[in-house]
Amino acid sequence: MCVLVVLLAATGIAILELVREQTGTPGFFVGLGLALLPVPPLMAAFRWLGRAAPAPWTQLLFCFGWGACTAALIAILANSFATQWIAAATADPSDADQLGSVAIAPVVEESAKAAALLLVFVFRRRQFTGPADGFVVAGFTATGFAFTENILYLGNAFGEDVAEGTGVLDSVTAATFFVRMVLSPFAHPLFTVLTGLGFGAAAVSAGRARRIGLPLLGLALAMGLHALWNSSSHFGEYGFYAVYGSVMVPVFGLLVWLAVRIRRRRLRAVAGELAVYAAAGWLGPAEVPALASMPARSLARTLARRSGGRAAGRAVALYEADAAALALLRNRARRGGPAEEPDFAGRERELLHSLWMRRATAGPALARAAVMEELLPPWFDPLARGRPGTGPGLDPGFGPTDAPAGVPAQRRADAGSPDLVGADAGQPSLSDLA
């Protein structure tokens, strides 16, 4: 981790100095200010998608930093070298620029961004659980990359306007801002999300060939779409608008629809899987609908902060994140078996223990939020205690100690060991889920 922090810091200093040299100091600060504008909305949009099972902020900030610093530095150096080499080989700088933007830049830039996804996929496998995580990680990485690239483009445009004395409305800066910030702020995220979806699909695939092939397929699609976008200006006077209207906008709409669908499926999985834990006594029955509703989760955090301060709100946030992680862990294990979740039992015990330590704070806040959001069904009885195998939507045939599809099972005696279960505190046994 320290190595990555040092790498990001070193590349960050290098890329900022390189961009400042190319744009000049005034252009650098103008570009920096304008390039910041689309960053918060894009980050908020990708964070919204991942809220059902949120990734740690440190991971997301690493991805943004990788895109803004390391990937951007690799891209600038590699693209410059390739363009100069082509110009020297062909003795035609215009052809070199065109070939570099269409054939070189998409390959270099998408590969550099994909490296962040690969690092998370390999070293933070627990946080990379499906297409939604690929979507979010790719989005943050590409947003960082676009941020640095926009500083360069806008800073150069400002320098050109200052040199020619162009007015604001007729300036190259205004035109560049309109194209990059208004028409296509989603361009880089759009490309890299395709790579992220490939990694996400690989995360829920059992075969080794699929785990390798799907990310490569996503990367190839990202490069192809990126190349098409870069070549649009070479298709004639209206080439840019044709590619924008017939390709970019429909693909953007498709990915927005897919993001909403992925989010809804995650929340349905949370509701279905947590019902089993509620029936075994690990969660309160009223907590399940609250944990499957993003407004109710937000309300529960607010209620906890009002009554117990920031520490209580933080406890509820961690409880919600652990509950979602537990539900998705069980969902993957139930569908994929031991090949998918070889450490299912150990990870489940870890998450259940974490939930139990915060339940006294989070449980009442979530139950109250469920009531205030009117999420409880008419038949709900607040005085009834759930029993394993009872109640709508439960699946009594699957539990951590009795998992189908070959999910590893713990010995019942071990599952109820005092050091993990905490029987003195009234903590349920994992065997209640069998």
Side-chain angles (χ1 to χ4, degrees), residues 117-167:
L117 281 67
L118 179 61
L119 288 172
V120 175
F121 185 81
V122 173
F123 295 105
R124 288 292 182 269
R125 189 66 179 80
R126 284 184 173 182
Q127 280 82 42
F128 212 122
T129 59
D133 297 300
F135 220 115
V136 174
V137 170
F140 270 78
T141 304
T143 299
F145 184 91
F147 166 68
T148 301
E149 190 178 71
N150 286 336
I151 297 175
L152 181 62
Y153 277 91
L154 290 165
N156 284 332
F158 178 78
E160 183 178 339
D161 290 333
V162 170
E164 297 181 0
T166 309

Side-chain angles (χ1 to χ4, degrees), residues 90-340:
T90 61
D92 190 339
S94 62
D95 283 350
D97 288 338
Q98 180 176 343
L99 184 60
S101 67
V102 175
I104 305 299
V107 175
V108 171
E109 294 176 10
E110 295 308 320
S111 298
K113 288 182 283 182
L117 281 67
L118 179 61
L119 288 172
V120 175
F121 185 81
V122 173
F123 295 105
R124 288 292 182 269
R125 189 66 179 80
R126 284 184 173 182
Q127 280 82 42
F128 212 122
T129 59
D133 297 300
F135 220 115
V136 174
V137 170
F140 270 78
T141 304
T143 299
F145 184 91
F147 166 68
T148 301
E149 190 178 71
N150 286 336
I151 297 175
L152 181 62
Y153 277 91
L154 290 165
N156 284 332
F158 178 78
E160 183 178 339
D161 290 333
V162 170
E164 297 181 0
T166 309
V168 175
L169 295 180
D170 298 327
S171 65
V172 179
T173 305
T176 303
F177 181 87
F178 178 74
V179 171
R180 298 189 68 87
M181 305 294 172
V182 179
L183 285 182
S184 59
F186 56 84
H188 271 289
L190 192 68
F191 309 144
T192 312
V193 158
L194 297 176
T195 307
L197 289 175
F199 276 101
V204 295
S205 299
R208 183 177 180 181
R210 291 170 63 86
R211 289 183 180 236
I212 297 174
L214 289 172
L216 292 177
L217 175 61
L219 178 60
L221 292 174
M223 292 175 179
L225 186 60
H226 195 158
L228 178 63
W229 174 246
N230 283 2
S231 63
S232 62
S233 59
H234 306 297
F235 292 160
E237 183 178 358
Y238 300 103
F240 170 83
Y241 300 102
V243 172
Y244 182 82
S246 62
V247 178
M248 297 294 285
V249 171
V251 172
F252 175 75
L254 177 63
L255 289 178
V256 169
W257 171 83
L258 183 60
V260 173
R261 181 178 176 85
I262 288 173
R263 190 175 190 263
R264 287 177 178 172
R265 288 185 63 182
R266 271 199 157 185
L267 290 174
R268 285 198 297 269
V270 168
E273 304 296 346
L274 291 184
V276 180
Y277 292 98
W282 287 95
L283 303 172
E287 296 175 41
V288 176
L291 288 166
S293 166
M294 299 311 300
R297 287 196 204 178
S298 178
L299 178 58
R301 295 192 297 272
T302 301
L303 294 172
R305 281 194 297 270
R306 287 176 182 173
S307 61
R310 294 181 62 183
R314 176 64 175 166
V316 174
L318 292 173
Y319 187 89
E320 293 169 349
D322 287 340
L326 177 64
L328 296 178
L329 174 77
R330 179 185 173 89
N331 186 260
R332 292 192 307 275
R334 185 164 55 81
R335 291 186 289 112
E340 187 65 32

Side-chain angles (χ1 to χ4, degrees), residues 163 421-422:
V421 174

